[in-house]
Amino acid sequence: MSLWMILPVSLPVLTITGIWVVYAMALYNQHVCPVDNWLYNQSCEEDLYLQSGPTLCCTLDNVPLISKCGTLPPESCFFSLICSTGSFMVMVIVLLRYAHVIEKHQNCVLNTASLSTGWICAAGLMMVGNFQVDNSKVLHYVGAGIAFPTSMLFVCVQSALTYRLAKTQGEYNVAHLRLCMTLLAFVALVLSGVFFCQESFILQHASAIFEWLFCVIIMLFYGTFAFEFAGMSSDTMVVLARGTLGPAGREHKVDALGPPGGPFPHSHPHQPENMSIL
């Protein structure tokens, strides 16, 4: 069992724990309302009835969206740190997954699409974390508009890729798990977006709940890569070192598998020396 499996497990542990810590800090500083509170006022001039504990300002500006939780200091500092660290880990996991597929199987359109969408999602996540919604609303929403759709597209592509590469019952079980998580994430994302556009306090609060659910599912999805990373070897690093994106990486794959006609990829009289077969 490879120690590389710790990496995809660490991502959901770090990010999910981190954003809940940010939420706890924002709640302690009364910057957002509790997720279990569904009572809102038009303004903070009147206290909320039936509200226990300290008086809270619960208006549409205090809906516990993830971005709202990380808007004001000191929690905004931790929110930026978590998003930046999570973005870097996403990029590494996506790259290793890309190389691992080439090592164990071969490159394909789905694998390349997965690498592209994963890295674009990481870039959007970094923008979300470092441009707070109250300080730089346009850039924040641009980052969210990049991160949310591409993360959804990434899990869709990975689910399809898992089914395509599955050979054993265990691999099919992982594919079924990822498909279920993808469907749940899609429903949560759609409901969050639809409710977010409404002016109702209840629907805005429901949007926040579904946003939290979507992000947790996506992070747990990354954690499922521990199944593949458990069998990762140093050969994966060799694929990366020789350049998975260039001719050297493709030539390495041909040398390892050989063409259908024989073990020597360059013995065919009509095949140029640098041509590779995928």
Side-chain angles (χ1 to χ4, degrees), residues 237-257:
M237 302 300 104
V238 173
V239 173
L240 288 177
R242 298 189 63 171
T244 58
L245 299 177
R250 294 194 296 268
E251 186 178 46
H252 169 74
K253 186 61 182 178
V254 174
D255 292 339
L257 297 180

Side-chain angles (χ1 to χ4, degrees), residues 204-231:
Q204 284 275 332
H205 193 86
S207 173
I209 301 298
F210 283 112
E211 183 187 61
W212 280 89
L213 180 61
F214 173 78
C215 292
V216 169
I217 293 174
I218 295 297
M219 290 298 103
L220 292 177
F221 189 98
Y222 278 98
T224 63
F225 289 126
F227 293 104
E228 287 87 359
F229 282 34

Side-chain angles (χ1 to χ4, degrees), residues 8 41 113 160 181 231 267:
N41 282 344
M181 297 177 73
S267 61

Side-chain angles (χ1 to χ4, degrees), residues 78-172:
F78 290 94
F79 183 68
S80 297
L81 177 62
I82 292 167
C83 289
S84 299
T85 305
S87 299
F88 175 75
M89 295 179 68
V90 165
M91 293 181 66
V92 174
I93 292 173
V94 169
L95 180 61
L96 291 177
R97 169 63 172 165
Y98 173 80
H100 185 257
V101 170
I102 296 178
E103 175 201 352
K104 297 298 183 182
H105 306 276
Q106 64 180 10
N107 200 5
C108 61
V109 175
L110 286 176
N111 196 33
T112 304
S114 172
L115 177 67
S116 302
T117 54
W119 278 20
I120 294 174
C121 172
L125 178 60
M126 189 168 294
M127 292 183 64
V128 168
N130 291 279
F131 296 97
Q132 285 79 27
V133 63
D134 287 353
N135 301 322
S136 185
K137 182 174 294 186
V138 174
L139 290 177
H140 179 86
Y141 282 137
V142 168
I146 293 174
F148 281 85
T150 53
S151 61
M152 188 68 246
L153 185 58
F154 173 79
V155 297
C156 290
V157 172
Q158 278 295 330
S159 297
L161 184 62
T162 306
Y163 272 108
R164 177 174 179 176
L165 302 180
K167 295 180 179 179
T168 65
Q169 184 60 45
E171 292 172 344
Y172 275 107

Side-chain angles (χ1 to χ4, degrees), residues 178-189:
R178 288 177 179 168
L179 177 60
C180 292
M181 297 177 73
T182 299
L183 294 175
L184 289 175
F186 178 76
V187 172
L189 179 61

